[in-house]
Amino acid sequence: GAVVSQHPSRVICKSGTSVKIECRSLDFQATTMFWYRQFPKQSLMLMATSNEGSKATYEQGVEKDKFLINHASLTLSTLTVTSAHPEDSSFYICSARKQGINEQYFGPGTRLTVT
Amino acid sequence: QKEVEQDPGPLSVPEGAIVSLNCTYSNSAFQYFMWYRQYSRKGPELLMYTYSSGNKEDGRFTAQVDKSSKYISLFIRDSQPSDSATYLCAMKLNTGNQFYFGTGTSLTVIP
């Protein structure tokens, strides 16, 4: 199989604090991981693509300094939302891709609420 | 024009009906075509994966790719209430990492 986990599944934080979301590929090595944001009843919005050991590539309009991505190993990528504000409240989903394979496998998502 | 167009629905069908979900695309260079199912408040789950043209069948699901028309379809036979979800199509070029997603079609199967 190709299982991707995310932690936490749900987080509530206060405005101004930082939140870290972990994405792990449990049974395969992910050379590429993707981070998406999804608003209610809307499609996935790609935020950034990260390859293990190198800097993430951010999509236009996504603030690099606000959404810090670290792909430290072939099984772990983290997204840190720094100085979170209520408008950052959203459903964040990661996905992972095996080398040489074209499918993406998604994590279960993390619901972030900033109060 | 968006790279991938998908009717958002919502689509509502009675249990047992055949469901047809579709996407059109503009880039003839797309080679890989995928369908994902996403339940509410969950991450998308890969349902079907097709390379280039043709049909692929897996149980009650059939994926079709018509590259000449730039049109892909997902058929669900004998639809069940558990099929109620949002279905996303996705496409990819032969190279690179970028995936192109449709907006998703919301499906409700009524018992």
Side-chain angles (χ1 to χ4, degrees):
Chain A
V3 182
V4 177
S5 71
Q6 262 182 263
H7 178 80
S9 57
R10 184 183 295 262
V11 58
I12 301 173
C13 71
K14 291 189 176 179
S15 190
T17 61
S18 295
V19 173
K20 181 186 281 190
I21 302 170
E22 289 188 351
C23 177
R24 293 182 186 272
S25 56
L26 298 184
D27 53 0
F28 67 99
Q29 293 188 326
T31 49
T32 306
M33 285 186 167
F34 305 85
W35 285 95
Y36 293 86
R37 186 172 178 177
Q38 189 175 38
F39 292 101
K41 304 202 176 186
Q42 293 190 28
S43 189
L44 303 165
M45 185 190 83
L46 180 65
M47 298 175 67
T49 302
S50 74
N51 292 296
E52 184 264 340
S54 61
K55 288 185 178 180
T57 302
Y58 289 80
E59 295 299 301
Q60 193 172 9
V62 178
E63 298 176 59
K64 299 178 186 182
D65 295 332
K66 182 165 186 62
F67 298 100
L68 301 178
I69 291 171
N70 186 352
H71 193 162
S73 76
L74 285 171
T75 59
L76 173 65
S77 177
T78 59
L79 167 68
T80 302
V81 183
T82 62
S83 187
H85 289 99
E87 57 266 29
D88 298 325
S89 299
S90 190
F91 193 50
Y92 292 87
I93 311 175
C94 73
S95 70
R97 183 185 160 207
K98 301 180 195 181
Q99 186 173 15
I101 301 295
N102 287 292
E103 302 101 297
Q104 278 187 52
Y105 297 93
F106 285 86
T110 297
R111 183 157 302 282
L112 169 65
T113 303
V114 184
T115 60
Chain B
Q1 184 187 9
K2 286 184 181 177
E3 297 268 10
V4 180
E5 299 275 1
Q6 185 176 8
D7 187 338
L11 184 61
S12 189
V13 301
E15 183 175 353
I18 296 174
V19 177
S20 172
L21 303 166
N22 312 296
C23 287
T24 58
Y25 60 95
S26 56
N27 190 342
S28 58
F30 285 137
Q31 292 284 352
Y32 299 94
F33 304 90
M34 289 143 279
W35 284 96
Y36 288 86
R37 176 176 62 196
Q38 186 177 20
Y39 291 113
S40 181
R41 299 174 185 262
K42 300 288 184 184
E45 168 196 9
L46 180 64
L47 268 183
M48 301 287 281
Y49 166 80
T50 311
Y51 172 70
S52 194
S53 279
N55 294 358
K56 186 172 185 179
E57 189 173 319
D58 184 1
R60 296 184 295 110
F61 299 90
T62 300
Q64 284 186 354
V65 175
D66 182 348
K67 292 192 77 179
S68 61
S69 302
K70 298 180 192 168
Y71 187 88
I72 69 170
S73 301
L74 177 71
F75 296 97
I76 308 174
R77 289 184 299 281
D78 187 26
S79 55
Q80 303 293 310
S82 59
D83 295 328
S84 298
T86 296
Y87 290 81
L88 294 144
C89 63
M91 307 179 189
K92 188 185 174 298
L93 300 169
N94 207 22
T95 58
N97 282 318
Q98 188 166 3
F99 287 67
Y100 297 83
F101 285 89
T103 52
T105 299
S106 175
L107 171 68
T108 301
V109 180
I110 303 166

